Amino acid sequence: MKVLWLCNAMTPQIAQQLDVGHKSTVSWITNTSQLIADRQECELILCFPFEKTEDICSGKADNIKYYGFHLKDKYSLKYDKRVEARLKRILQQEKPDVIHIWGTECFHTLAMLKACKELNLLDKAAISIQGLMHCYAQVYNAALPEWVVKRFTFRDILKADNIRLQQRKFEKRAKYEVEALKLARNVIGRTDWDKALTKQLNPGLNYFFNNAILRENFYNNKWDIQKCEPNTIFASQGYYPIKGLHMLLQALAIIKRRYPDVKLYVSGFDIIKADTLKEKLKLSSYAVYLKKLVAKYKLQNNLQFVGMLDEDAMCDRYLKSNVFVSASIIENESNSLGEAKCLGVPSVSSYVGGCTNFLEHKKDSLVYPFNEPYMLAEYVCDIFGDSQLAVSLSKQARKNAMIIHNREENTDQLIKIYTQINTSGEKKC
């Protein structure tokens, strides 16, 4: 089978060949793409938005053919029919047996489906559900004070981008998502949550189940309580409200009463740094709110942003941490939580969205309602204070995750899905 993937970005191998930086890449598809490309049943082609080409560029990295199509801003709120035309040309050139579209958060998903419709290929196209914008938009401001949501900082004024307007941008992007899902005939999902939401939008969808394949390092390393830094927490994201860093900081203040030396490490740039006038002017309303929480609870010495981490550094940060926390307001399935569990890092997670499919409270993790930071604090303290609990959670988490994220089984299942879509599409085309 010839399988064409539409991704939001290129793999690191393609980025190296095109001589662009890591910001243009998406590392989580690297392992999956290579596993598929290595199978004799499949010829894999990657298709992705690429600002630095004027129209379409193509090439081959390792054994994967690729196409970059011009798109200046993949998160644009304005639909561009030129993207649809470029994707149509790629489809006509390659004549794929299956078109696998990863995610719904960008309008080029809709553009691909419209191109498929014009070429009578809709039955051969499938969307993998990652997050769902129309649901995220509804809870974007959850647990934030109204004055924070409405406020404009200097940066927000310049960018027309305060929290309320960010929510409206999610809503606009969600319109393309909803249109795409109503047009689609096949989706690939992994949770009860994404199945319910997609089938409610389009009851006629064919729903295929396939668990995620994670990055390679997270299968090959293992957390050890003797080697981690005691009383430390790791959170993989915190730059926008849905990831719940504002709730985690409130929990951190409670944890600090019992463990004054507690340290929270957050992956990503320091969004609250304001040592210079220029840095102060660049603060968003959400960053200002986080900064106020840090000052209110005197958390300056308990919080550290660790910068953008590549796969090796991210794995190392997990392994050094006593607890991993996913404080998201909403998730489908958190790949970060999956990575933590694969490594065996004791985890505390909000019990939201599709995460409910992958968490067993007091067996492989501890879970809490997202809007109850006091319970998050209690569970983190339980792990800090009980090494037997930490080790028990670690062992069961790793055992369960290795089943859920099994590379060979999930690759086999994905190829079976491709075969079924291809066979069904041939009958209908």
Side-chain angles (χ1 to χ4, degrees), residues 184-307:
R185 295 178 185 170
N186 304 295
V187 296
I188 301 171
R190 46 189 167 156
T191 67
D192 294 339
W193 183 83
D194 67 36
K195 182 177 182 180
L197 289 171
T198 54
K199 294 286 278 187
Q200 285 167 20
L201 277 175
N202 185 350
L205 279 170
N206 298 310
Y207 183 91
F208 299 93
F209 179 84
N210 186 227
N211 275 320
I213 297 169
L214 303 176
R215 294 181 288 183
E216 188 67 21
N217 276 0
F218 299 92
Y219 294 94
N220 301 330
N221 290 280
K222 186 177 178 181
W223 182 81
D224 184 343
I225 194 170
Q226 301 298 327
K227 296 179 181 178
C228 76
E229 182 184 347
N231 304 339
T232 57
I233 304 165
F234 179 49
S236 61
Q237 291 188 50
Y239 61 91
Y240 71 127
I242 283 177
K243 295 303 178 181
L245 183 55
H246 54 295
M247 305 299 286
L248 180 49
L249 290 179
Q250 294 172 58
L252 187 64
I254 300 170
I255 297 166
K256 186 179 177 181
R257 297 172 196 163
R258 290 169 60 181
Y259 295 92
D261 63 337
V262 62
K263 194 70 172 271
L264 168 62
Y265 295 98
V266 181
S267 176
F269 298 116
D270 188 345
I271 61 172
I272 67 172
K273 186 180 180 183
D275 297 335
T276 66
L277 177 60
K278 183 178 180 180
E279 288 173 342
K280 289 178 182 178
L281 294 176
K282 290 173 70 175
L283 290 176
S284 67
S285 181
Y286 185 58
V288 170
Y289 180 53
L290 296 178
K291 194 171 182 63
K292 286 184 179 295
L293 289 175
V294 170
K296 177 182 178 180
Y297 298 120
K298 297 180 175 57
L299 301 173
Q300 292 86 347
N301 296 324
N302 305 97
L303 172 65
Q304 183 178 335
F305 290 88
V306 295

Side-chain angles (χ1 to χ4, degrees), residues 115-129:
C116 287
K117 183 180 181 181
E118 194 170 339
L119 297 172
N120 198 28
L121 292 172
L122 274 180
D123 288 307
K124 293 196 172 189
I127 303 175
S128 265
I129 306 302

Side-chain angles (χ1 to χ4, degrees), residues 74-121:
K74 65 184 177 184
Y75 297 117
S76 174
L77 302 178
K78 186 177 180 181
Y79 188 84
D80 188 345
K81 280 192 69 69
R82 293 173 297 181
V83 171
E84 185 181 325
R86 292 179 185 119
L87 293 173
K88 181 181 175 183
R89 283 161 49 204
I90 294 169
L91 291 173
Q92 289 172 320
Q93 173 72 25
E94 288 298 331
K95 297 179 175 58
D97 298 301
V98 177
I99 301 100
H100 186 169
I101 303 165
W102 291 86
T104 56
E105 60 268 32
C106 302
F107 82 82
H108 56 250
T109 289
L110 178 59
M112 176 61 90
L113 286 172
K114 286 186 174 182
C116 287
K117 183 180 181 181
E118 194 170 339
L119 297 172
N120 198 28
L121 292 172

Side-chain angles (χ1 to χ4, degrees), residues 14 41 50 94 109 173 183 197-198 211 216 221 242 297 302 308 313 317 330 335 338 348 361 366 368 379 423:
I14 297 172
E41 306 100 302
F50 186 41
E94 288 298 331
T109 289
R173 288 165 59 195
L183 183 60
L197 289 171
T198 54
N211 275 320
E216 188 67 21
N221 290 280
I242 283 177
Y297 298 120
N302 305 97
M308 301 301 294
R317 182 63 267 165
I330 192 69
N335 280 348
V348 181
H361 184 51
L366 300 176
Y368 70 98
Y379 288 143
T423 304

Side-chain angles (χ1 to χ4, degrees), residues 4-18 20 24-26 29 45-53 55-61 64-72 74 83 86-87 90 100 102 108 112:
L4 186 145
W5 282 11
L6 175 63
C7 306
N8 290 339
M10 65 192 78
T11 63
Q13 292 91 333
I14 297 172
Q16 184 177 7
Q17 188 172 112
L18 292 174
V20 295
S24 303
T25 70
V26 55
I29 67 165
I45 304 157
L46 260 63
C47 186
F48 51 85
F50 186 41
E51 182 181 352
K52 294 187 178 181
T53 184
D55 183 34
I56 297 173
C57 68
S58 62
K60 197 165 187 178
I64 299 175
K65 189 174 183 179
Y66 65 82
Y67 288 90
F69 58 91
H70 178 72
L71 179 55
K72 188 173 183 180
K74 65 184 177 184
V83 171
R86 292 179 185 119
L87 293 173
I90 294 169
H100 186 169
W102 291 86
H108 56 250
M112 176 61 90

